[in-house]
Amino acid sequence: MEVRFKLNGKEVATATASNIRLIDLLRDKFNLTGTKEGCGIGECGACTILMDGRAVNSCLVLAAQANGKEIITIEGIADGDILHPLQRRFLSNGAIQCGYCTPGMVLSASALLSQNPDPSEEDIKEAIAGNLCRCTGYKQIIDAVKETAKELQLKQ
Amino acid sequence: MMPRFEIIFPDNLSDALSVLSSGHEHMQIIAGGTDVITGLGQGSNRFKNTKMLIDINNIPEVNGIEIGREKISIGGAVTFSDILQSEFIERSFPLLWKSVSTIGSVQIRNRATIAGNFVNNAPCADTVPVLLVYNATIVIESMSSKREISLYEFLSGPYKTKLSRNEIVTRINIPIPNKNLNGDFYKLGRRRAVAISRITLAVLADVNSESKINEIRIASGAVTPIGTRFFDLEKIAKGKKADDQFFKDMAGKLGEKIIEVTGLRWSSEYKLPVVQQVFYQLLKGIERG
């Protein structure tokens, strides 16, 4: 079957099978390997992407279900070579160690900030509750999201 | 590894029902897919005959939340996130809103549906005890029939329901509760997010100005084989004075009832005191109104 969707701003069309998951399509067909597979059952959030602006686990979506949707992966969040403010703040706060959870964390945080530009600490914790990080202990990640929110608010 | 299957996306109910009416033993309805896709991927027995998935997300009849005078009607493909965005549900069905907000994670809630929660009917389905105390009914349609039954009647055993293979849950109807009904929902899991619930309890009660219990509805999940109501206890409580001693008696009786339903387990010694204490706290909550 053929699926068409908008991927990181560009219309794409590709042949796929009914039993292929979106994560596999993204990684294997489009070489977007920033989307990681951790648990494969929706518990760790490493495969988080944005589908029509909402954070979803791409291991729990079939490629065919992406038809007609707008998909954003971690590769589509920067503006060319200029990192997204969340990415810069993750770096400056040391919110990255092994990096495996980072793409998912950044996308969950970006979904939060697009809906809620002034999140409380509790809002941030809730937004990333579905993303496991085994390195940082979360503090640096929460700080990075807080600082980004402030930065983006000042810009407006 | 995913088995081989086809997937179709009907855009109206009659097409979906017509496909289901032929060869439905190999068909599986999918909406959010958070149970179905993991089940297929892990080779679960429940999905081993699946040759075709029917994705119902594009069907208008199973979408949307309609607010009526006496009830709300939630479509079978409505996600938990859609429910959380409804201010009316937050205000008029606070226990439902609260239970939905504790489910999975943002990512799960953005896909998973409330109908999927009770059609899957895991013992730990968080919205089940809450929907039971709100007296939810569900509309089930096939090519040749349309019926509406109570959720209580619909749930027949762990991972089992009265849904036939040729039917779709199209709507969930919940009567708008009278203003005197107050209550709360409690959930205990091992991790805050994406945790399988160990204990869930929901209580809704109408206590009058003289502290008399006009009506009480009690339901549990996870500690019982499926989410269930405690009609015997509700009957005992009706007309009684809502005071501390009575709440303690009720908490004791709930514990006995749970043992009666589930039998003694290795975990009973740990869980029972917690269930009883939580239930007591929930009752104290209704006393305060």
Side-chain angles (χ1 to χ4, degrees):
Chain A
M1 62 163 43
E2 191 189 63
V3 287
R4 293 166 175 275
F5 55 96
K6 203 169 178 183
L7 178 57
N8 295 331
K10 270 199 298 204
E11 294 292 342
V12 295
T14 186
T16 188
S18 301
N19 63 349
I20 296 295
R21 303 171 306 167
L22 182 55
I23 183 176
D24 301 322
L25 188 80
L26 294 171
R27 290 178 56 89
D28 302 343
K29 262 272 164 66
F30 294 100
N31 293 318
L32 298 173
T33 52
T35 304
K36 306 297 182 194
E37 178 154 15
C39 66
I41 52 171
E43 287 186 3
C44 77
C47 68
T48 301
I49 54 143
L50 302 183
M51 186 152 99
D52 288 346
R54 286 176 160 191
V56 304
N57 296 308
S58 61
C59 74
L60 296 185
V61 179
L62 294 169
Q65 293 178 305
N67 197 37
K69 308 277 189 204
E70 180 167 2
I71 305 292
I72 294 180
T73 68
I74 191 64
E75 290 86 352
I77 204 145
D79 179 11
D81 286 340
I82 304 164
L83 291 180
H84 186 279
L86 272 168
Q87 293 172 305
R88 269 190 287 112
R89 296 294 180 178
F90 266 60
L91 287 172
S92 62
N93 278 280
I96 297 179
Q97 285 185 33
C98 85
Y100 207 82
C101 75
T102 312
M105 281 287 180
V106 169
L107 287 163
S108 283
S110 113
L112 167 72
L113 295 181
S114 64
Q115 283 163 15
N116 178 0
D118 187 20
S120 65
E121 179 154 337
E122 197 49 37
D123 294 335
I124 296 171
K125 286 183 181 170
E126 186 61 40
I128 61 168
N131 297 79
L132 290 181
C133 172
R134 299 286 87 156
C135 306
T136 68
Y138 302 100
K139 166 124 192 4
Q140 298 92 325
I141 295 173
I142 293 165
D143 289 346
V145 179
K146 272 189 201 163
E147 281 183 20
T148 311
K150 266 191 212 136
E151 177 186 334
L152 292 176
Q153 275 181 302
L154 283 177
K155 269 190 194 159
Q156 283 178 353
Chain B
M1 190 55 204
M2 281 281 176
R4 292 171 76 87
F5 53 79
E6 296 296 308
I7 185 168
I8 58 166
F9 298 83
D11 57 14
N12 66 74
L13 186 61
S14 61
D15 281 2
L17 292 175
S18 134
V19 173
L20 264 185
S21 71
S22 60
H24 43 73
E25 63 271 21
H26 301 302
M27 295 179 188
Q28 171 65 48
I29 295 163
I30 182 170
T34 53
D35 287 315
V36 175
I37 295 174
T38 48
L40 285 166
Q42 296 178 327
S44 154
N45 260 339
R46 292 162 60 210
F47 304 113
K48 69 174 193 296
N49 293 325
T50 303
K51 295 277 180 285
M52 181 184 276
L53 295 180
I54 302 176
D55 184 306
I56 60 170
N57 287 296
N58 299 338
I59 300 175
E61 291 93 331
V62 301
N63 273 294
I65 299 172
E66 288 156 22
I67 299 168
R69 253 162 184 260
E70 282 161 8
K71 63 172 189 194
I72 58 161
S73 166
I74 302 174
V78 166
T79 66
F80 291 127
S81 291
D82 295 334
I83 288 174
L84 290 182
Q85 275 164 13
S86 164
E87 281 174 23
F88 184 83
I89 291 180
E90 185 176 6
R91 209 171 47 238
S92 304
F93 300 92
L95 281 63
L96 177 61
W97 198 90
K98 185 174 179 184
S99 70
V100 169
S101 73
T102 66
I103 286 175
S105 58
V106 172
Q107 292 96 315
I108 300 285
R109 294 194 294 270
N110 281 341
R111 295 292 293 164
T113 63
I114 186 166
N117 205 211
F118 61 74
V119 168
N120 190 52
N121 198 20
C124 55
D126 287 334
T127 57
V128 165
V130 167
L131 290 170
L132 288 173
V133 296
Y134 281 125
N135 290 334
T137 58
I138 53 182
V139 181
I140 303 167
E141 297 188 46
S142 73
M143 260 301 252
S144 54
S145 74
K146 180 172 181 175
R147 59 196 174 115
E148 181 164 358
I149 64 171
S150 70
L151 179 63
Y152 180 80
E153 204 184 325
F154 178 75
L155 305 172
S156 46
Y159 302 101
K160 289 198 169 60
T161 69
K162 300 256 168 76
L163 191 71
S164 302
R165 301 292 299 181
N166 62 342
E167 292 177 316
I168 295 180
V169 171
T170 52
R171 313 292 308 176
I172 301 122
N173 292 332
I174 321 177
I176 294 170
N178 87 49
K179 295 254 183 303
N180 302 325
L181 281 166
N182 276 304
D184 207 351
F185 166 76
Y186 174 85
K187 163 175 169 171
L188 178 78
R190 286 185 184 166
R191 168 185 161 197
R192 186 171 110 165
V194 209
I196 306 291
S197 295
R198 303 292 154 172
I199 297 173
T200 50
L201 280 176
V203 172
L204 209 53
D206 172 1
V207 179
N208 73 13
S209 52
E210 281 125 39
S211 299
K212 211 180 86 178
I213 299 171
N214 288 334
E215 183 185 2
I216 188 164
R217 304 175 194 168
I218 305 158
S220 75
V223 280
T224 36
I226 55 171
T228 192
R229 279 277 289 270
F230 293 88
F231 293 113
D232 300 355
L233 289 186
E234 294 176 14
K235 219 182 261 176
I236 293 171
K238 200 174 166 163
K240 296 273 166 40
K241 196 168 162 58
D243 61 19
D244 203 57
Q245 189 50 51
F246 182 67
F247 294 158
K248 283 182 181 149
D249 290 351
M250 285 288 281
K253 285 199 175 76
L254 181 78
E256 287 164 22
K257 195 76 202 171
I258 287 173
I259 295 280
E260 191 185 312
V261 178
T262 61
L264 264 179
R265 299 184 179 191
W266 68 267
S267 59
S268 302
E269 213 174 317
Y270 302 93
K271 278 185 184 167
L272 261 194
V274 182
V275 173
Q276 290 171 321
Q277 183 60 24
V278 167
F279 184 53
Y280 171 75
Q281 296 292 347
L282 289 175
L283 292 172
K284 293 292 275 183
I286 61 151
E287 179 186 38
R288 287 188 296 270

